Amino acid sequence: MHRFKRSKPRITLLESDQPPTPTSIDTKIALNNGTSVAIEATNESLQASKTIPTPSLSEIIDQRTKENSRLRHELAYEQSKQGVSLSTLEKVGRSVAEIGHTLREHKMLEAVIDRDFGKIGTSEEVE
């Protein structure tokens, strides 16, 4: 019996427990109000996150209500698009079925014509 050798793990561990230092792409991300692991791990970002005030209950309710409204609007939009897509798919399916039927009918009629003309050409001489 053949034995397989176990390969060494491909995961390489980082040599440092320190967070990654921001690179030039991280700087571009930060300039566009984006974030990355390296950006979030900077001292400035960590300190800023500690000083963010906790919103009041009414502010949280207001934020969640706005988010809920936005999500409901997005859901209605996606459902409308889905309805149109399903309708189009159904119409295309019917068209494909009709084209298939037409092609089968065409082949059948060609076979009849070939058979009929084949009989004339072999059994009777055309005058």
Side-chain angles (χ1 to χ4, degrees), residues 14 19 58 93 114:
L14 296 176
S58 62
D114 288 345

Side-chain angles (χ1 to χ4, degrees), residues 80-98:
S80 296
K81 282 179 56 176
Q82 182 184 22
V84 169
S85 295
L86 289 175
S87 172
T88 302
L89 182 63
E90 183 180 318
K91 289 175 184 177
V92 168
R94 286 194 305 260
S95 298
V96 167
E98 186 177 338

Side-chain angles (χ1 to χ4, degrees), residues 1-68:
M1 185 180 277
H2 183 72
R3 288 188 171 201
F4 293 100
K5 292 182 182 179
R6 286 191 175 186
S7 61
K8 294 181 181 177
R10 296 182 185 185
I11 300 173
T12 56
L13 300 175
L14 296 176
E15 294 180 19
S16 171
D17 287 343
Q18 300 297 319
T21 56
T23 62
S24 61
I25 192 73
D26 292 314
T27 306
K28 290 179 183 176
I29 291 171
L31 289 173
N32 288 304
N33 297 325
T35 187
S36 69
V37 172
I39 293 169
E40 289 179 357
T42 60
N43 284 334
E44 297 84 14
S45 179
L46 291 173
Q47 292 303 318
S49 68
K50 292 178 183 178
T51 60
I52 295 174
T54 305
S56 68
L57 184 58
S58 62
E59 290 172 331
I60 293 173
I61 291 172
D62 187 47
Q63 289 172 352
R64 300 281 166 87
T65 303
K66 288 177 182 176
E67 178 69 5
N68 190 26

